[in-house]
Amino acid sequence: MRKLLLIIFILISNQIVLAQETKDKFSFEFKNSDLTTIIQTIENSSSYKFYFKPEWIQANKELVTASYTNISIEELLDKTFSTTNINFLILDQKIILTNNNRIHDSLPSNYFATSNSSSSDKASDKGFQNPIFYKQYDSIKNFGSKRNASIKFIGKESDITNKINCTLSGYIKNGATNKPEPNVYINIKGKNISATSDNQGYYTLQVPIGINIIEIKSINYKNITQTVMVYNDGLLDIEVQEDTNLLDEVIVKNGRAKTTETVISGLVSIDLVAMKNVPLILGERDILKIATTFPGIKTTGEGSAGFNVRGGKEDQNLILLDDAVMYNPQHFLGFFSAINPYTARKAEIYKGSIPAEFGGRLSSVFDITTKNGDPDKFSGEGAIGPITSNLTIGTPITKGKSSILLGARATYSDWILKSLDDEDLKNSQAGFYDGILKYNNTLNENNSLETTLYYSHDRFSISSDSVYKYSNRLASVKWDHDFNKRNKAALIFTNSEYKFNIDYNSNNTNDFDFGYKVNESQLMLKLNYSLNKQHTISYGISSKLYNISPGYQHPTNPDATLISTDIAKEKALESAVYLSDSYKISKKLLIDLGLRYSFYASMGEADVNIYQQGLPLSDETAIGTKHYNNNEFIKTYGGIEPRLAARYFITDDFSIKAGYDMTRQYIHLLSSNTTQSPTDTWKLSDTNVKPQSAKQFSLGLYKNINTADIELSLEGYYKTSENILDYKVGAQLLLNENVETELLQGKGRAYGIELLLKKQLGRLNGWIGYTYSRTFIQLDSEFSSETVNNGNYFSANFDKPHDLSAVLNYKFTKRYSLSTNFLYQTGRPITYPIGTFHYGNSDYTLYSDRNQYRIPDYIRLDIGINIEGNHKIKKLAHSFWNISVYNVLGRSNPYSIYFNTDKNGEVKGYKTSIFSIPVPSITYNFKF
């Protein structure tokens, strides 16, 4: 019996010892389990109880698949929470979880030591291994007692870390639309640490461990101050709200940082708020007119409808309104922009380092984005001026989720003309209107939808028997989808149409209706992928279909002798794929490498003229036609368009940038005028007209001067181009079935240097820009009929070597300011008659080489007084008065020079001017 009891005692003792050895050992197998499931499993299989806030656990979406055998609770928790921000502390059978920070179960041994104790001794204690933690230890103690919802904790605190700085990154989004906001400047208060969000709204900062205060101060968004406690690398997404009170004074820093930090050279960002202070013709705010005050962007003259960017022709600019192409962005023959300034949210102009996502034009991209309506409240703004009135309103559809923006603008110039005594003016017509409707809807956290509809219409009558009309119609639909924080996509459909019409009605049998139309539809898929901290990938595909009606002329009288004419329609398909990588090699060096491949196909149905080989194109050398069926490819073109941009920081506020761009253009503007006009037509590349191409090299220096928000930039460029379109002398472009016989294609060469000094803060602010540039064209051929100026390079119509502009604003008080706009330009080239000769019993005029002479230089000074209403927050509407005088000097600047032969056979020159006297105006602006 004793032996039996002894054996039982030994067995029980062994079991107790075995249980004590294995009581804290566990075996678990998890398959696609979330943290909540893991915690429940541990509680059900042990005596441990967890204490935590559910939202900490639910914020971690990662699933765990793992198998553990005989693992301690400490090891199990270490492995489970290793990829999260969760820390833990085990007290008996209680497991207390914390988010980001740790609970210290002991104080440093010398916590209460005297000041003579060495800092190295303090820093060596458990939980304070990093000296940075020790230096901020007192702040952390106070900080812990003040913890609240406004403080963000970043990363996971660990026992031992050798880090001094951590990486803080995330996305900046618009709180109303949930869409990424690019070019937002973010900095750490009191420290020389800053960054700017990229095109996907992504930013990254290197911040010291401990307490940091993040600031966002922008003229476009409400100021944000966010306190963060940084333990380790982590993510922080920031929502910004558009600033609805434009009259408040804010600190503008985003443009300054953007210029030096971004990789893009030759980028112009229009400050849509400060634009209200610039005095312009008849007090009308104008985005595109403001653009011409910056270096490298010119017009051929006052009242010109087109733009010349870095030696490019008017048709070489891609003008986008919410991704849809606008073919004629001007009202009133170029005096006003067709883009409503009160509906625009952002306007950026790429004149160098054009991103790979853009294509189809050689010189520049005008990327204009409209505002969204406020999804939370009804709001609006507008203006009443001497010629036009403007009203824009926004209203929520589903509060906090969707809204509509409606903008309308119209002129009452017809009413003014009819009130005049002059019979010719009383019977004339001149007017325009435009409207825009935008709907946006944040469908859910990952999806949003935007649709934009735009229409503009102009009409004018130079004589009582002809009425000219032209219009733009645009539509765009954009669906944004976020796959996750790294992967984003946008699917975009656009349609654009431009047309003009001439009604000739002289009450005779030859009255007619003349018209022209170009229409394009485009589908684009754009994707962005943030691979890591060094690489941001952008890629996509696009395809657009062109349909052009080159012109028709139909008699309106059944007894007319005029023959009805319809020029055959043109159709083409242009597609492209692109890939770019923004590669941050180091803190100083950033490279943007892009590759775009474009493919173009001219398509039937069409009858294409065939010309005799080895002879110039003319009616005499045409030997027949070839018929192509509907959608059959007539001629294809294509090629690779590399894009390269690089930025290197010489110092923290001084950078150098370089860029190389190759671009192709498959559509051409046909214009017999010196400047772009409403009756110009567009021609697609085909068998007889080749696409244009260009290469541009650019180099620039960018400097921020101290802390005075003064920006200084110096940029140089050199551009070469092929197959630039020009015309034979006396070319007939309208209603010409064989228009290719009137065209010439040659080479282009342009170079220049651009200087910009810009001050954004203080009583005196504004910018001064200077450009020295030259643009030349060469039209050389083995045939004399296709050769101009003996095949030598000659100045283009828009070659203006010197261009100086100064836009300055001085604030006397917060409500009163004085603005000036000064402009000097070299006169544009012109061809003069230099003599006469007698041939075949007739006298003929002898002209100089093409563009050998120049018209007089252009000089203009405008002055404006700006008066803001009181700045009370609670009031029905905020107001703003602008009183300005255009052309204060009353200088009769020449628009053009023309020549007539008098009765004595003498050739005389005459100068025409648009505004030869000072033009005063007063405009009332309001916002509610």
Side-chain angles (χ1 to χ4, degrees):
M1 185 65 177
R2 286 183 171 181
K3 292 183 179 179
L4 179 59
L5 291 175
L6 180 61
I7 293 172
I8 293 173
F9 175 77
I10 293 172
L11 290 175
I12 292 174
S13 300
N14 289 337
Q15 288 295 324
I16 293 173
V17 172
L18 183 61
Q20 290 174 341
E21 290 177 351
T22 61
K23 68 176 181 178
D24 290 326
K25 299 292 183 177
F26 301 93
S27 298
F28 292 105
E29 185 171 350
F30 302 111
K31 186 174 182 181
N32 292 329
S33 301
D34 57 19
L35 293 184
T36 301
T37 302
I38 293 175
I39 290 173
Q40 291 174 349
T41 302
I42 295 174
E43 287 184 332
N44 293 336
S45 304
S46 69
S47 58
Y48 288 100
K49 180 67 176 178
F50 285 81
Y51 298 88
F52 58 90
K53 282 189 175 182
E55 55 264 31
W56 299 344
I57 304 302
Q58 294 166 3
N60 293 275
K61 304 294 185 181
E62 293 185 11
L63 301 179
V64 175
T65 299
S67 179
Y68 304 111
T69 303
N70 290 332
I71 188 171
S72 68
I73 190 68
E74 290 86 352
E75 290 178 291
L76 175 60
L77 296 180
D78 276 334
K79 292 180 181 293
T80 300
F81 297 127
S82 62
T83 59
T84 72
N85 289 330
I86 302 296
N87 275 308
F88 65 91
L89 175 67
I90 303 176
L91 293 175
D92 298 326
Q93 301 299 310
K94 301 180 181 65
I95 300 176
I96 303 171
L97 303 184
T98 57
N99 198 29
N100 302 111
N101 61 320
R102 295 179 62 249
I103 298 175
H104 296 274
D105 55 358
S106 62
L107 290 173
S109 60
N110 53 0
Y111 178 76
F112 299 103
T114 63
S115 58
N116 294 328
S117 300
S118 66
S119 61
S120 59
D121 290 339
K122 291 185 179 182
S124 64
D125 285 286
K126 181 182 178 182
F128 297 91
Q129 296 289 342
N130 190 340
I132 299 298
F133 272 129
Y134 174 72
K135 291 177 181 179
Q136 297 194 7
Y137 185 66
D138 290 333
S139 297
I140 293 173
K141 288 193 296 181
N142 296 328
F143 177 71
S145 64
K146 298 178 182 178
R147 179 170 181 171
N148 55 60
S150 65
I151 300 172
K152 301 289 185 181
F153 288 74
I154 306 299
K156 183 177 182 177
E157 182 183 0
S158 60
D159 285 345
I160 300 175
T161 178
N162 295 320
K163 281 188 176 183
I164 298 177
N165 294 317
C166 298
T167 300
L168 177 65
S169 59
Y171 289 89
I172 298 178
K173 294 186 177 182
N174 188 309
T177 65
N178 201 36
K179 301 186 70 172
E181 286 292 341
N183 307 318
V184 176
Y185 178 70
I186 180 173
N187 74 288
I188 304 300
K189 184 178 180 179
K191 301 169 185 176
N192 189 24
I193 302 171
S194 62
T196 304
S197 60
D198 62 17
N199 289 335
Q200 290 75 48
Y202 181 79
Y203 76 92
T204 180
L205 290 165
Q206 293 296 319
V207 299
I209 286 179
I211 300 173
N212 294 273
I213 299 176
I214 295 175
E215 290 184 321
I216 292 180
K217 293 184 178 181
S218 168
I219 200 166
N220 295 323
Y221 311 105
K222 293 180 179 179
N223 293 351
I224 293 176
T225 300
Q226 177 66 65
T227 302
V228 296
M229 177 64 193
V230 179
Y231 292 116
N232 216 316
D233 297 346
L235 300 174
L236 177 64
D237 292 339
I238 300 173
E239 285 190 356
V240 294
Q241 302 290 337
E242 293 185 12
D243 192 353
T244 58
N245 185 2
L246 300 183
L247 300 178
D248 288 345
E249 184 176 5
V250 295
I251 305 300
V252 183
K253 290 188 176 182
N254 58 328
R256 179 170 66 94
K258 176 181 176 181
T259 303
T260 55
E261 292 185 3
T262 60
V263 72
I264 300 174
S265 62
L267 174 64
V268 174
S269 295
I270 306 295
D271 189 334
L272 300 179
V273 177
M275 180 178 68
K276 68 182 181 181
N277 295 323
V278 181
L280 294 172
I281 182 66
L282 298 174
E284 186 77 10
R285 294 191 200 180
D286 196 317
I287 295 174
L288 301 182
K289 286 291 187 295
I290 295 295
T292 62
T293 64
F294 285 89
I297 306 174
K298 305 178 183 180
T299 63
T300 53
E302 205 163 40
S304 300
F307 306 95
N308 307 108
V309 179
R310 288 192 170 179
K313 298 183 69 176
E314 290 90 344
D315 65 335
Q316 295 175 0
N317 306 307
L318 180 64
I319 300 175
L320 301 174
L321 182 66
D322 283 352
D323 299 301
V325 178
M326 181 174 284
Y327 278 88
N328 188 349
Q330 301 288 0
H331 282 309
F332 235 50
L333 301 175
F335 292 114
F336 304 112
S337 165
I339 298 169
N340 189 334
Y342 294 91
T343 63
R345 180 175 66 90
K346 183 178 67 173
E348 294 186 326
I349 303 170
Y350 299 90
K351 54 182 180 170
S353 298
I354 298 176
E357 67 180 280
F358 299 113
R361 298 294 190 273
L362 297 190
S363 293
S364 71
V365 177
F366 287 62
D367 188 17
I368 301 170
T369 306
T370 59
K371 297 177 181 177
N372 291 326
D374 192 326
D376 296 313
K377 64 180 180 178
F378 179 82
S379 61
E381 62 180 316
I384 302 173
I387 297 294
T388 66
S389 286
N390 196 327
L391 179 63
T392 299
I393 58 174
T395 182
I397 302 298
T398 302
K399 193 170 181 63
K401 187 175 181 181
S402 63
S403 65
I404 280 182
L405 180 80
L406 176 63
R409 178 174 51 161
T411 179
Y412 24 84
S413 52
D414 272 347
W415 176 80
I416 296 174
L417 291 172
K418 293 186 184 300
S419 65
L420 300 177
D421 295 331
D422 189 296
E423 287 298 324
D424 290 335
L425 292 176
K426 185 178 292 187
N427 294 326
S428 62
Q429 299 182 44
F432 67 82
Y433 64 86
D434 59 58
I436 188 167
L437 176 66
K438 185 174 184 181
Y439 170 77
N440 69 284
N441 190 336
T442 303
L443 302 174
N444 52 44
E445 183 180 354
N446 297 320
N447 295 277
S448 62
L449 181 69
E450 287 185 0
T451 61
T452 303
L453 298 175
Y454 171 89
Y455 183 78
S456 70
H457 181 82
D458 282 69
R459 73 184 188 286
F460 61 93
S461 176
I462 298 176
S463 60
S464 59
D465 56 12
S466 298
V467 178
Y468 291 74
K469 304 174 185 177
Y470 63 95
S471 64
N472 288 284
R473 188 197 70 202
L474 309 178
S476 69
V477 180
K478 183 179 182 182
W479 173 38
D480 285 302
H481 176 69
D482 296 351
F483 295 100
N484 49 50
K485 288 189 175 182
R486 291 188 174 185
N487 289 278
K488 301 178 184 296
L491 182 64
I492 306 167
F493 172 78
T494 67
N495 178 263
S496 304
E497 180 181 273
Y498 171 71
K499 62 181 180 180
F500 70 78
N501 178 267
I502 301 175
D503 290 332
Y504 179 77
N505 187 5
S506 61
N507 296 320
N508 62 41
T509 56
N510 283 327
D511 294 344
F512 64 85
D513 177 28
F514 172 82
Y516 163 86
K517 182 172 69 175
V518 55
N519 184 287
E520 72 163 55
S521 297
Q522 181 170 214
L523 185 64
M524 296 175 282
L525 177 62
K526 298 181 178 181
L527 300 105
N528 296 283
Y529 176 55
S530 297
L531 179 62
N532 50 40
K533 299 170 186 176
Q534 286 75 40
H535 295 273
T536 302
I537 312 296
S538 299
Y539 56 103
I541 185 170
S542 66
S543 187
K544 69 168 59 177
L545 179 67
Y546 295 104
N547 282 283
I548 292 181
S549 299
Y552 65 85
Q553 182 174 272
H554 298 156
T556 56
N557 191 318
D559 299 325
T561 58
L562 189 69
I563 299 175
S564 181
T565 303
D566 286 274
I567 305 300
K569 295 181 179 181
E570 299 181 33
K571 184 164 64 173
L573 182 70
E574 180 184 339
S575 302
V577 294
Y578 71 90
L579 172 67
S580 66
D581 180 13
S582 181
Y583 179 24
K584 188 176 182 180
I585 298 177
S586 65
K587 185 178 179 180
K588 290 187 174 183
L589 182 59
L590 177 64
I591 291 179
D592 198 323
L593 179 63
L595 200 62
R596 181 183 181 89
Y597 179 83
S598 61
F599 172 81
Y600 173 87
S602 174
M603 302 165 63
E605 185 176 3
D607 292 311
V608 178
N609 292 328
I610 300 175
Y611 295 90
Q612 192 171 346
Q613 291 272 343
L615 294 176
L617 303 185
S618 67
D619 293 339
E620 291 75 21
T621 60
I623 58 176
T625 62
K626 182 177 180 180
H627 179 77
Y628 290 87
N629 296 323
N630 187 35
N631 295 330
E632 183 180 358
F633 284 5
I634 299 173
K635 181 69 175 179
T636 61
Y637 297 98
I640 295 176
E641 304 173 26
R643 316 282 173 88
L644 176 64
R647 180 227 67 205
Y648 182 80
F649 273 122
I650 299 174
T651 63
D652 289 342
D653 57 2
F654 184 28
S655 64
I656 182 172
K657 301 180 187 180
Y660 168 76
D661 297 86
M662 181 177 181
T663 49
R664 300 177 189 272
Q665 181 171 329
Y666 301 99
I667 187 170
H668 319 265
L669 182 69
L670 304 184
S671 176
S672 57
N673 303 300
T674 303
T675 181
Q676 186 176 349
S677 75
T679 57
D680 296 336
T681 59
W682 293 81
K683 168 71 178 161
L684 294 172
S685 296
D686 55 23
T687 303
N688 299 307
V689 180
K690 297 179 181 179
Q692 306 174 62
S693 63
K695 299 176 182 178
Q696 180 181 191
F697 302 86
S698 59
L699 183 67
L701 299 173
Y702 307 83
K703 171 70 175 175
N704 294 330
I705 301 176
N706 299 326
T707 58
D709 285 279
I710 297 176
E711 169 193 320
L712 179 65
S713 64
L714 181 66
E715 299 180 21
Y717 68 90
Y718 181 81
K719 181 193 292 184
T720 60
S721 49
E722 299 285 341
N723 298 322
I724 301 301
L725 214 63
D726 214 299
Y727 316 99
K728 297 178 181 178
V729 176
Q732 174 61 39
L733 302 179
L734 291 178
L735 297 178
N736 188 340
E737 294 182 344
N738 305 321
V739 69
E740 64 269 14
T741 62
E742 305 286 354
L743 308 180
L744 301 175
Q745 290 193 279
K747 297 180 179 181
R749 184 176 64 194
Y751 56 85
I753 188 167
E754 302 166 358
L755 176 66
L756 178 65
L757 178 64
K758 191 173 183 180
K759 186 176 185 294
Q760 301 185 85
L761 297 178
R763 286 184 176 270
L764 178 64
N765 55 80
W767 63 88
I768 299 174
Y770 170 74
T771 306
Y772 175 78
S773 61
R774 300 304 309 272
T775 307
F776 302 98
I777 296 176
Q778 182 187 47
L779 299 172
D780 193 15
S781 172
E782 56 182 312
F783 310 111
S784 59
S785 61
E786 297 180 345
T787 301
V788 176
N789 288 7
N790 298 317
N792 298 319
Y793 278 97
F794 62 92
S795 298
N797 291 337
F798 44 87
D799 175 56
K800 297 181 177 183
H802 299 283
D803 187 326
L804 174 67
S805 61
V807 178
L808 301 173
N809 179 61
Y810 183 80
K811 289 186 176 182
F812 297 103
T813 67
K814 291 184 178 181
R815 292 181 56 195
Y816 297 92
S817 64
L818 176 71
S819 299
T820 62
N821 178 27
F822 176 78
L823 180 63
Y824 166 79
Q825 290 181 342
T826 305
R828 64 174 178 81
I830 191 174
T831 304
Y832 276 1
I834 57 176
T836 59
F837 64 93
H838 187 80
Y839 179 77
N841 298 323
S842 298
D843 290 327
Y844 296 90
T845 301
L846 178 65
Y847 285 88
S848 67
D849 285 346
R850 187 180 292 192
N851 292 345
Q852 185 176 353
Y853 296 92
R854 292 182 181 273
I855 66 175
D857 293 349
Y858 184 96
I859 301 174
R860 195 187 80 236
L861 174 65
D862 313 320
I863 294 180
I865 297 175
N866 311 298
I867 305 172
E868 296 186 10
N870 66 64
H871 291 179
K872 292 181 179 179
I873 296 176
K874 294 183 178 180
K875 57 187 300 186
L876 180 62
H878 294 275
S879 61
F880 174 81
W881 289 90
N882 176 267
I883 304 169
S884 63
V885 181
Y886 184 85
N887 192 17
V888 171
L889 303 177
R891 180 179 170 86
S892 182
N893 288 301
Y895 174 74
S896 65
I897 304 291
Y898 66 95
F899 301 90
N900 278 337
T901 304
D902 62 16
K903 296 179 181 179
N904 300 322
E906 184 179 356
V907 178
K908 293 185 177 181
Y910 298 89
K911 178 178 69 174
T912 60
S913 299
I914 304 297
F915 295 102
S916 57
I917 60 173
V919 181
S921 65
I922 181 169
T923 304
Y924 174 70
N925 302 266
F926 57 91
K927 181 173 184 179
F928 56 90

PDB file of all heavy atoms in Angstrom, residues 387-401:
ATOM      1  N   ILE A 387     -19.247  95.990 -69.595  1.00  0.00           N
ATOM      2  CA  ILE A 387     -19.578  95.246 -70.809  1.00  0.00           C
ATOM      3  C   ILE A 387     -20.268  93.930 -70.500  1.00  0.00           C
ATOM      4  O   ILE A 387     -21.172  93.497 -71.217  1.00  0.00           O
ATOM      5  CB  ILE A 387     -18.309  94.987 -71.653  1.00  0.00           C
ATOM      6  CG1 ILE A 387     -17.718  96.311 -72.125  1.00  0.00           C
ATOM      7  CG2 ILE A 387     -18.604  94.095 -72.843  1.00  0.00           C
ATOM      8  CD1 ILE A 387     -18.606  97.063 -73.088  1.00  0.00           C
ATOM      9  N   THR A 388     -19.859  93.286 -69.414  1.00  0.00           N
ATOM     10  CA  THR A 388     -20.389  91.958 -69.096  1.00  0.00           C
ATOM     11  C   THR A 388     -20.855  91.876 -67.653  1.00  0.00           C
ATOM     12  O   THR A 388     -20.467  92.679 -66.808  1.00  0.00           O
ATOM     13  CB  THR A 388     -19.317  90.864 -69.314  1.00  0.00           C
ATOM     14  OG1 THR A 388     -18.268  91.057 -68.361  1.00  0.00           O
ATOM     15  CG2 THR A 388     -18.760  90.904 -70.722  1.00  0.00           C
ATOM     16  N   SER A 389     -21.679  90.874 -67.388  1.00  0.00           N
ATOM     17  CA  SER A 389     -22.045  90.492 -66.026  1.00  0.00           C
ATOM     18  C   SER A 389     -21.823  88.998 -65.871  1.00  0.00           C
ATOM     19  O   SER A 389     -21.928  88.243 -66.846  1.00  0.00           O
ATOM     20  CB  SER A 389     -23.505  90.844 -65.729  1.00  0.00           C
ATOM     21  OG  SER A 389     -23.662  92.236 -65.541  1.00  0.00           O
ATOM     22  N   ASN A 390     -21.540  88.597 -64.643  1.00  0.00           N
ATOM     23  CA  ASN A 390     -21.110  87.228 -64.388  1.00  0.00           C
ATOM     24  C   ASN A 390     -21.719  86.751 -63.082  1.00  0.00           C
ATOM     25  O   ASN A 390     -21.727  87.482 -62.096  1.00  0.00           O
ATOM     26  CB  ASN A 390     -19.575  87.206 -64.295  1.00  0.00           C
ATOM     27  CG  ASN A 390     -19.007  85.826 -64.428  1.00  0.00           C
ATOM     28  OD1 ASN A 390     -19.619  84.858 -64.005  1.00  0.00           O
ATOM     29  ND2 ASN A 390     -17.827  85.733 -64.999  1.00  0.00           N
ATOM     30  N   LEU A 391     -22.223  85.526 -63.065  1.00  0.00           N
ATOM     31  CA  LEU A 391     -22.760  84.947 -61.834  1.00  0.00           C
ATOM     32  C   LEU A 391     -22.439  83.466 -61.784  1.00  0.00           C
ATOM     33  O   LEU A 391     -22.680  82.736 -62.748  1.00  0.00           O
ATOM     34  CB  LEU A 391     -24.273  85.153 -61.743  1.00  0.00           C
ATOM     35  CG  LEU A 391     -24.953  84.556 -60.496  1.00  0.00           C
ATOM     36  CD1 LEU A 391     -24.418  85.238 -59.227  1.00  0.00           C
ATOM     37  CD2 LEU A 391     -26.458  84.681 -60.585  1.00  0.00           C
ATOM     38  N   THR A 392     -21.892  83.034 -60.656  1.00  0.00           N
ATOM     39  CA  THR A 392     -21.593  81.621 -60.416  1.00  0.00           C
ATOM     40  C   THR A 392     -22.187  81.215 -59.083  1.00  0.00           C
ATOM     41  O   THR A 392     -21.972  81.897 -58.075  1.00  0.00           O
ATOM     42  CB  THR A 392     -20.072  81.382 -60.407  1.00  0.00           C
ATOM     43  OG1 THR A 392     -19.525  81.726 -61.669  1.00  0.00           O
ATOM     44  CG2 THR A 392     -19.761  79.921 -60.109  1.00  0.00           C
ATOM     45  N   ILE A 393     -22.947  80.126 -59.065  1.00  0.00           N
ATOM     46  CA  ILE A 393     -23.547  79.642 -57.825  1.00  0.00           C
ATOM     47  C   ILE A 393     -23.263  78.150 -57.673  1.00  0.00           C
ATOM     48  O   ILE A 393     -23.132  77.427 -58.664  1.00  0.00           O
ATOM     49  CB  ILE A 393     -25.067  79.890 -57.769  1.00  0.00           C
ATOM     50  CG1 ILE A 393     -25.772  79.217 -58.954  1.00  0.00           C
ATOM     51  CG2 ILE A 393     -25.371  81.383 -57.730  1.00  0.00           C
ATOM     52  CD1 ILE A 393     -27.288  79.303 -58.882  1.00  0.00           C
ATOM     53  N   GLY A 394     -23.153  77.710 -56.434  1.00  0.00           N
ATOM     54  CA  GLY A 394     -22.984  76.301 -56.125  1.00  0.00           C
ATOM     55  C   GLY A 394     -23.978  75.891 -55.052  1.00  0.00           C
ATOM     56  O   GLY A 394     -24.238  76.653 -54.111  1.00  0.00           O
ATOM     57  N   THR A 395     -24.518  74.717 -55.187  1.00  0.00           N
ATOM     58  CA  THR A 395     -25.508  74.263 -54.216  1.00  0.00           C
ATOM     59  C   THR A 395     -25.388  72.763 -54.000  1.00  0.00           C
ATOM     60  O   THR A 395     -25.080  72.019 -54.944  1.00  0.00           O
ATOM     61  CB  THR A 395     -26.942  74.608 -54.686  1.00  0.00           C
ATOM     62  OG1 THR A 395     -27.882  74.205 -53.696  1.00  0.00           O
ATOM     63  CG2 THR A 395     -27.262  73.912 -55.987  1.00  0.00           C
ATOM     64  N   PRO A 396     -25.575  72.288 -52.777  1.00  0.00           N
ATOM     65  CA  PRO A 396     -25.514  70.836 -52.537  1.00  0.00           C
ATOM     66  C   PRO A 396     -26.738  70.130 -53.109  1.00  0.00           C
ATOM     67  O   PRO A 396     -27.837  70.684 -53.141  1.00  0.00           O
ATOM     68  CB  PRO A 396     -25.468  70.734 -51.012  1.00  0.00           C
ATOM     69  CG  PRO A 396     -26.004  72.028 -50.498  1.00  0.00           C
ATOM     70  CD  PRO A 396     -25.743  73.056 -51.536  1.00  0.00           C
ATOM     71  N   ILE A 397     -26.543  68.905 -53.580  1.00  0.00           N
ATOM     72  CA  ILE A 397     -27.642  68.040 -53.997  1.00  0.00           C
ATOM     73  C   ILE A 397     -27.950  67.051 -52.877  1.00  0.00           C
ATOM     74  O   ILE A 397     -29.061  66.982 -52.372  1.00  0.00           O
ATOM     75  CB  ILE A 397     -27.286  67.292 -55.297  1.00  0.00           C
ATOM     76  CG1 ILE A 397     -26.951  68.301 -56.405  1.00  0.00           C
ATOM     77  CG2 ILE A 397     -28.431  66.387 -55.719  1.00  0.00           C
ATOM     78  CD1 ILE A 397     -28.094  69.228 -56.769  1.00  0.00           C
ATOM     79  N   THR A 398     -26.940  66.297 -52.488  1.00  0.00           N
ATOM     80  CA  THR A 398     -27.012  65.473 -51.282  1.00  0.00           C
ATOM     81  C   THR A 398     -25.983  66.030 -50.315  1.00  0.00           C
ATOM     82  O   THR A 398     -24.784  66.013 -50.612  1.00  0.00           O
ATOM     83  CB  THR A 398     -26.707  63.997 -51.590  1.00  0.00           C
ATOM     84  OG1 THR A 398     -27.631  63.526 -52.578  1.00  0.00           O
ATOM     85  CG2 THR A 398     -26.814  63.152 -50.339  1.00  0.00           C
ATOM     86  N   LYS A 399     -26.432  66.556 -49.206  1.00  0.00           N
ATOM     87  CA  LYS A 399     -25.553  67.302 -48.312  1.00  0.00           C
ATOM     88  C   LYS A 399     -24.335  66.490 -47.918  1.00  0.00           C
ATOM     89  O   LYS A 399     -24.432  65.352 -47.493  1.00  0.00           O
ATOM     90  CB  LYS A 399     -26.325  67.738 -47.067  1.00  0.00           C
ATOM     91  CG  LYS A 399     -25.598  68.776 -46.221  1.00  0.00           C
ATOM     92  CD  LYS A 399     -26.504  69.332 -45.141  1.00  0.00           C
ATOM     93  CE  LYS A 399     -25.797  70.386 -44.316  1.00  0.00           C
ATOM     94  NZ  LYS A 399     -25.403  71.545 -45.110  1.00  0.00           N
ATOM     95  N   GLY A 400     -23.183  67.125 -48.086  1.00  0.00           N
ATOM     96  CA  GLY A 400     -21.926  66.494 -47.730  1.00  0.00           C
ATOM     97  C   GLY A 400     -21.424  65.484 -48.737  1.00  0.00           C
ATOM     98  O   GLY A 400     -20.358  64.902 -48.547  1.00  0.00           O
ATOM     99  N   LYS A 401     -22.162  65.288 -49.838  1.00  0.00           N
ATOM    100  CA  LYS A 401     -21.785  64.235 -50.775  1.00  0.00           C
ATOM    101  C   LYS A 401     -21.740  64.702 -52.227  1.00  0.00           C
ATOM    102  O   LYS A 401     -20.792  64.418 -52.941  1.00  0.00           O
ATOM    103  CB  LYS A 401     -22.766  63.067 -50.639  1.00  0.00           C
ATOM    104  CG  LYS A 401     -22.381  61.840 -51.434  1.00  0.00           C
ATOM    105  CD  LYS A 401     -23.331  60.680 -51.141  1.00  0.00           C
ATOM    106  CE  LYS A 401     -22.920  59.441 -51.921  1.00  0.00           C
ATOM    107  NZ  LYS A 401     -23.844  58.306 -51.669  1.00  0.00           N
TER     108      LYS A 401
END
